[in-house]
Amino acid sequence: MRLSELNVGEKAEVTALKAVGAIRRRIMDMGLIKGTQFKVVRVAPLGDPIEISFKGLYLAMRKNEAEGIVVCKVDAFNGEEFSQADQQPIE
Amino acid sequence: MSDGKEICIALAGNPNCGKTSLFNALTGAHQKVGNFSGVTVEKHEGYLDYKGYRIRVVDLPGIYSLTPYSPEEIVTREYLIKETPDVVVNVLEGPNLERNLLLTTQLMELEVDFLVALNMIDEVEEKGIVVEIKQLQKLLGCHIIPTSAKKSRGLDSLLDHIIRVSRKDIEISKNKLFFRPEVEASVDKIAAMLTHQKELGGYNARWLAIKLLENDREVYHEVQCYPVWVKIELVLQEALREAERMYDSEPEMLITEDRHAFIRGAMQECVRQPGGVKTSASDYIDMVVLNRVLGLPIFLLVVWAIFQMTFTLGSPLMSALEFLFGALATAIAPLLPNETLRSVVIDGIIAGVGGVLVFLPNIVLLFIGLSFLEASGYMARAAFVIDRVMHRFGLHGKSFIPMITGFGCSIPAIMATRTLKSRTDRLVTIMIIPFMSCGAKLPVYVLLTGAFFAPDVAANVMFGIYLLGIVIGLWTAWILKSTVLKSDSEPFVMELPPYRWPTFTSVFFQAKVKSLMYLKKAGTLILSAVIIIWAVSNYPHNVALEKELSAESAQIARSGVAAAEKMKLQNRLELRIKSEQLEYSLAGRAGKVLEPLIRPLGFDWRIGIALVTGLTAKEVVVSTLGTIYSIGQSNGAPVELKSILRQDPSFSQATALSLMVFVLLYIPCVAALGVMKKEVGRWRPVLLYSLYSLSVAWIVSFIVYRVALLMV
Ligand SMILES: Nc1nc2c(ncn2[C@@H]2O[C@H](COP(=O)(O)OP(=O)(O)OP(=O)(O)O)[C@@H](O)[C@H]2O)c(=O)[nH]1
Ligand SMILES: [Mg+2]
């Protein structure tokens, strides 16, 4: 599924990047690469940009950009409740 | 002090990691600091002397990686690669280490002499994060010095290490980051081909190879013109196929992943975060401020509060200054025996320059309000909340930050658009910034709302004017985006930094810098404008009118009416002669030519002159009105401009509204036009734009005037 389809409060892990061009680069530089786990924090009042948090940082992005990120949902972050070995398989 | 030993250091790091704060702390400068990404858009230089060395410090715009994204980031990359400073100081945002280290890995690849300033160490400690510096130093192959630019901690140690690094007096050996074997193989192959190219000797071959695999456009162009390119291209294609086959990915992605893997490892080895997820103060604030229901009202409230503050806190101070200038004029007048000199000082300088200076408190308050917004971290939130609206008009949430800056002054705001990547988005944003009412227009509003509206509605009328500016700006953006500047909208990916308390010194110095600028403007540009206006509205003298004056005065003196009546007649006579003389003057004649054009907006020739002179700087509108009306006074005694305007029959509430709207919308001041030209690159769009804004100003003022006439 895509990042844009997640609901507020859900946790997920990046499995691939579909975005192309400069924005792809920017997303990668921000640290959103395969394996990065994040949480959807909120949606802006008017419904568009969404805010996610990972590795202690908060990132806002439009749904349009979020569509370029393929993710799979996880129940908990690595090292939070499950151990490393319990990683969710890639969808 | 220094004995010729100069070291050049460059501050490089992610946006918002505290480079400019560190720059200020090191050099004693007061460059602008703010709690959002992209405050610095140009490189700044400063000097300091330390232990016999003269250190040149270069502050650069923030970058996330050495592959730049927006125009201001290109500046940094170019500087780091082409200018090769002696030492690069990689500033890291301590609490956000993991993301910040990505750039560090790229500096490792570049093989420059660098060291790390682990900044915001105060916040790191507060959060209970422990960094094993020794271990991390070994992994990164460079010195790491904990600093706090805010608390001036670790600066001497940083400088000591900078000197040591520049003298190659270091005991930490550089470390190399290795990628997965497939990538390494390609890197080695390309690097081997490049080392034989003497022309490319300036760069290290490994770095060029990595950049080629990363599809770096600049490096492509650089290498493409050499014969060896044919062979390299084959290797690149091979690498692409390989990555596709083995990882269903591409080399660029693999390289980034490997860098992140390296960082992950370093973090696990060297950084201990306190366990458990804690909700920080920022999280709590955002729960309210970015709330789905409250977000938008809060945003409007914040902007409204700033204007309300500017007005209500400012007005008693303004009255005090007005009183002061009035007293000054009364005190000086008798000391100036020469009538011409008296007129220059009272009607020209005091009415014109003083008339502008009284607004200093409002201006300072406005800038304090804005710097509070910028320093607290709310700016990025505002962009987040409002992005949807901006998107509708074809703009970007990020465009909103320069727009807010534009409420202070258009010039830095126009420059701040460099953080936008897409050229069309930049152009559109530049074109709408002048509609954001700047600080220089504030005196016009304060004067007119003060004269024609009750104190309790004045601030709201002003707020309405600001809103009108925003509406016209967005509308302009929409038109531009759907006609001449069609393009896909720029992607929106933006970091929301934690809230931080604005430091007193930075707010104070911002306010001080702005006040000094305002005073300087009043003392130079406005003063000269006022003197010229005084001259053109006094000369040439109409000799016939003077004769008429003396003849009729004599007649009044001879007539048999009572003394009080004589005085009244004499006053009325002088007023008539003065206004006829004013119309006879150069300014009067020029104004009369203009008048038919602006009559439909409710403006007479005096306002016409003020609007023309206002092109130099918008405050000059107020100065000009001050001078012209003061000259037109019968007895030359200093009277507050506000009350003169109120009594003037040609001025009404409708005129005031119409004039405010016109000043809001018409052609930007020359300084802003100059910066626009510089950023856009050509005069044509700037001139077209001026024409456009003039027409919009005329049409909207016309509507406002007519509607106001009907309603009042
Ligand atoms: N607590 C703390 N805050 C800091 C420190 N250094 C900087 N800040 C704050 O961090 C924010 C960003 O500072 P800047 O100096 O503008 O950052 P910059 O790296 O120049 O940012 P750009 O120019 O946008 O790239 C400001 O709110 C500073 O007050 C520090 O050592 N400790
Ligand atoms: Mg800066």
Side-chain angles (χ1 to χ4, degrees):
Chain A
M1 71 191 300
R2 301 300 170 99
L3 200 161
S4 49
E5 297 163 50
L6 294 172
N7 294 318
V8 173
E10 284 180 331
K11 294 172 183 177
E13 181 175 312
V14 179
T15 57
L17 279 190
K18 285 278 178 279
V20 290
I23 184 63
R24 178 186 181 86
R25 182 79 235 178
R26 165 88 359 155
I27 291 172
M28 275 160 50
D29 288 344
M30 287 290 186
L32 272 178
I33 52 163
K34 201 161 101 185
T36 305
Q37 297 183 321
F38 62 90
K39 181 180 161 183
V40 180
V41 183
R42 63 171 59 82
V43 177
L46 295 172
D48 198 358
I50 54 173
E51 183 185 342
I52 62 171
S53 85
F54 58 98
K55 297 175 187 169
L57 102 125
Y58 295 83
L59 202 66
M61 64 168 82
R62 277 194 194 143
K63 289 205 163 135
N64 196 20
E65 275 69 72
E67 221 158 85
I69 303 172
V70 186
V71 299
C72 68
K73 272 192 232 173
V74 296
D75 294 325
F77 291 159
N78 289 343
E80 211 176 70
E81 278 152 54
F82 300 168
S83 68
Q84 291 295 91
D86 285 334
Q87 261 194 46
Q88 295 271 311
I90 294 163
E91 70 168 6
Chain B
M1 253 195 290
S2 67
D3 21 3
K5 287 176 287 187
E6 189 178 304
I7 306 174
C8 172
I9 66 169
L11 304 179
N14 284 184
N16 210 38
C17 67
K19 297 173 296 300
T20 307
S21 305
L22 194 60
F23 176 83
N24 289 345
L26 288 173
T27 63
H30 293 290
Q31 288 295 343
K32 190 165 162 187
V33 164
N35 192 15
F36 61 94
S37 304
V39 180
T40 310
V41 291
E42 272 186 316
K43 74 176 213 271
H44 296 290
E45 296 189 5
Y47 286 91
L48 83 143
D49 291 310
Y50 184 78
K51 295 197 176 159
Y53 287 86
R54 185 157 184 73
I55 301 180
R56 179 151 69 104
V57 189
V58 181
D59 180 27
L60 294 165
I63 48 171
Y64 287 108
S65 82
L66 278 182
T67 307
Y69 183 74
S70 45
E72 106 274 18
E73 296 186 12
I74 295 170
V75 174
T76 306
R77 141 124 173 193
E78 292 288 291
Y79 189 84
L80 290 179
I81 289 170
K82 302 246 161 84
E83 314 266 320
T84 51
D86 299 322
V87 181
V88 175
V89 177
N90 180 204
V91 185
L92 300 184
E93 183 182 344
N96 202 345
L97 204 52
E98 187 158 348
R99 213 271 325 285
N100 275 247
L101 281 173
L102 181 71
L103 183 64
T104 315
T105 59
Q106 299 190 13
L107 289 175
M108 288 166 73
E109 290 158 10
L110 196 58
E111 291 181 13
V112 287
D113 288 322
F114 78 102
L115 50 78
V116 162
L118 184 59
N119 197 33
M120 302 197 189
I121 196 69
D122 51 323
E123 284 188 13
V124 172
E125 285 164 0
E126 214 171 281
K127 288 194 166 162
I129 302 171
V130 180
V131 183
E132 302 281 352
I133 303 244
K134 279 230 173 74
Q135 188 57 22
L136 194 58
Q137 285 191 146
K138 250 186 245 154
L139 285 173
L140 302 179
C142 70
H143 280 284
I144 299 174
I145 297 93
T147 59
S148 168
K150 202 173 191 171
K151 308 242 151 89
S152 291
R153 274 172 58 188
L155 301 184
D156 282 353
S157 168
L158 181 66
L159 289 169
D160 287 334
H161 282 87
I162 288 170
I163 292 171
R164 281 176 57 193
V165 171
S166 77
R167 287 186 0 213
K168 314 268 177 212
D169 167 18
I170 21 177
E171 73 274 15
I172 296 176
S173 52
K174 282 192 176 147
N175 195 8
K176 225 183 205 156
L177 190 160
F178 289 102
F179 304 105
R180 63 193 79 190
E182 303 82 14
V183 176
E184 279 298 328
S186 315
V187 169
D188 286 344
K189 256 188 247 167
I190 300 172
M193 291 169 182
L194 286 170
T195 35
H196 299 305
Q197 288 310 115
K198 287 217 177 51
E199 299 90 334
L200 284 163
Y203 302 109
N204 88 62
R206 182 180 165 81
W207 183 77
L208 286 174
I210 297 172
K211 284 289 145 189
L212 284 174
L213 283 165
E214 278 191 288
N215 291 320
D216 187 293
R217 214 181 303 153
E218 302 283 313
V219 175
Y220 256 80
H221 286 312
E222 194 97 17
V223 181
Q224 234 160 5
C225 32
Y226 296 100
V228 71
W229 173 249
V230 192
K231 282 200 283 178
I232 293 176
E233 207 174 11
L234 290 177
V235 183
L236 288 174
Q237 281 162 2
E238 172 65 26
L240 198 62
R241 273 196 301 274
E242 188 83 342
E244 172 87 53
R245 187 176 61 81
M246 293 184 62
Y247 300 99
D248 188 22
S249 184
E250 77 264 43
E252 184 185 9
M253 179 67 100
L254 299 182
I255 289 176
T256 309
E257 280 178 17
D258 288 350
R259 286 189 191 126
H260 279 286
F262 171 83
I263 294 166
R264 201 72 281 228
M267 290 292 290
Q268 261 157 13
E269 210 173 314
C270 312
V271 181
R272 268 178 291 125
Q273 315 253 6
V277 211
K278 259 193 267 157
T279 316
S280 66
S282 283
D283 294 330
Y284 284 118
I285 298 175
D286 276 343
M287 276 176 205
V288 180
V289 166
L290 299 182
N291 182 286
R292 283 210 77 153
V293 182
L294 296 177
L296 221 50
I298 287 182
F299 165 74
L300 290 173
L301 192 75
V302 166
V303 180
W304 181 82
I306 287 184
F307 295 117
Q308 194 70 27
M309 179 194 81
T310 311
F311 200 83
T312 35
L313 285 186
S315 61
L317 294 168
M318 185 182 82
S319 310
L321 282 178
E322 268 170 356
F323 177 78
L324 222 66
F325 280 111
L328 184 70
T330 325
I332 287 184
L335 302 179
L336 301 167
N338 181 316
E339 196 180 331
T340 312
L341 187 64
R342 189 162 61 221
S343 176
V344 172
V345 173
I346 306 281
D347 302 332
I349 299 174
I350 295 187
V353 179
V356 164
L357 281 181
V358 297
F359 298 103
L360 184 63
N362 301 90
I363 304 279
V364 170
L365 284 167
L366 176 70
F367 277 105
I368 289 180
L370 290 179
S371 69
F372 204 84
L373 269 193
E374 290 174 337
S376 63
Y378 187 70
M379 215 56 148
R381 268 81 183 177
F384 177 71
V385 168
I386 214 73
D387 176 67
R388 191 69 242 283
V389 179
M390 302 292 284
H391 199 176
R392 265 220 96 85
F393 294 94
L395 279 174
H396 194 265
K398 249 190 169 170
S399 302
F400 191 71
I401 294 175
M403 279 166 71
I404 292 264
T405 311
F407 287 133
C409 175
S410 297
I411 292 164
I414 289 171
M415 285 168 56
T417 58
R418 289 183 194 173
T419 56
L420 295 170
K421 179 179 165 47
S422 121
R423 199 179 142 70
T424 47
D425 275 25
R426 268 195 81 201
L427 266 176
V428 174
T429 311
I430 288 174
M431 298 290 169
I432 68 171
I433 283 172
F435 291 125
M436 303 305 119
S437 198
C438 73
K441 296 173 188 170
L442 190 67
V444 181
Y445 309 149
V446 178
L447 173 74
L448 293 174
T449 51
F452 292 98
F453 293 90
D456 51 328
V457 289
N460 290 336
V461 170
M462 213 164 76
F463 188 60
I465 296 283
Y466 276 90
L467 283 185
L468 180 70
I470 297 176
V471 169
I472 300 277
L474 290 178
W475 182 71
T476 303
W478 181 77
I479 295 201
L480 285 173
K481 276 294 238 186
S482 48
T483 55
V484 280
L485 292 171
K486 260 189 213 148
S487 74
D488 290 340
S489 65
E490 170 164 337
F492 180 84
V493 175
M494 193 185 61
E495 221 184 308
L496 301 180
Y499 289 98
R500 296 194 166 98
W501 275 109
T503 57
F504 173 77
T505 38
S506 82
V507 173
F508 174 79
F509 275 104
Q510 276 303 310
K512 192 177 136 186
V513 166
K514 293 294 178 268
S515 330
L516 286 179
M517 263 169 64
Y518 193 71
L519 290 177
K520 200 176 140 210
K521 202 171 173 187
T524 53
L525 190 114
I526 295 178
L527 180 63
S528 19
V530 153
I531 290 177
I532 293 171
I533 293 157
W534 178 88
V536 296
S537 23
N538 263 303
Y539 297 99
H541 271 309
N542 188 342
V543 189
L545 272 178
E546 272 166 24
K547 279 198 188 123
E548 194 181 330
L549 175 67
S550 45
E552 289 195 22
S553 306
Q555 213 178 343
I556 291 174
R558 264 186 276 115
S559 67
V561 293
E565 185 67 7
K566 267 187 192 168
M567 187 107 125
K568 223 158 128 201
L569 283 174
Q570 179 70 18
N571 253 343
R572 202 179 301 151
L573 171 71
E574 277 180 21
L575 200 60
R576 185 174 59 84
I577 298 288
K578 280 215 170 174
S579 73
E580 275 176 35
Q581 162 62 34
L582 199 52
E583 283 176 33
Y584 183 81
S585 72
L586 269 179
R589 285 182 236 178
K592 287 283 174 195
V593 175
L594 272 180
E595 203 175 59
L597 293 174
I598 51 174
R599 193 75 260 178
L601 313 180
F603 304 160
D604 70 356
W605 65 271
R606 283 172 290 205
I607 298 180
I609 292 291
L611 289 173
V612 172
T613 54
L615 289 177
T616 53
K618 294 297 156 75
E619 300 96 333
V620 175
V621 171
V622 171
S623 305
T624 308
L625 289 177
T627 299
I628 294 187
Y629 275 97
S630 182
I631 290 173
Q633 277 291 302
S634 67
N635 47 10
V639 183
E640 248 189 334
L641 181 57
K642 233 189 278 179
S643 40
I644 306 179
L645 291 182
R646 221 178 279 142
Q647 281 153 21
D648 191 284
S650 67
F651 240 105
S652 65
Q653 239 180 22
T655 322
L657 280 174
S658 167
L659 180 55
M660 284 191 280
V661 170
F662 198 85
V663 169
L664 166 75
L665 300 174
Y666 87 122
I667 310 176
C669 68
V670 280
L673 287 177
V675 173
M676 272 176 127
K677 149 76 182 39
K678 193 170 145 232
E679 298 293 313
V680 172
R682 286 177 307 140
W683 273 116
R684 226 176 83 94
V686 177
L687 293 178
L688 281 176
Y689 173 72
S690 304
L691 208 63
Y692 167 78
S693 54
L694 190 61
S695 330
V696 170
W698 200 94
I699 294 167
V700 180
S701 294
F702 180 79
I703 297 170
V704 166
Y705 182 61
R706 296 293 145 182
V707 171
L709 277 186
L710 289 180
M711 282 171 31
V712 179

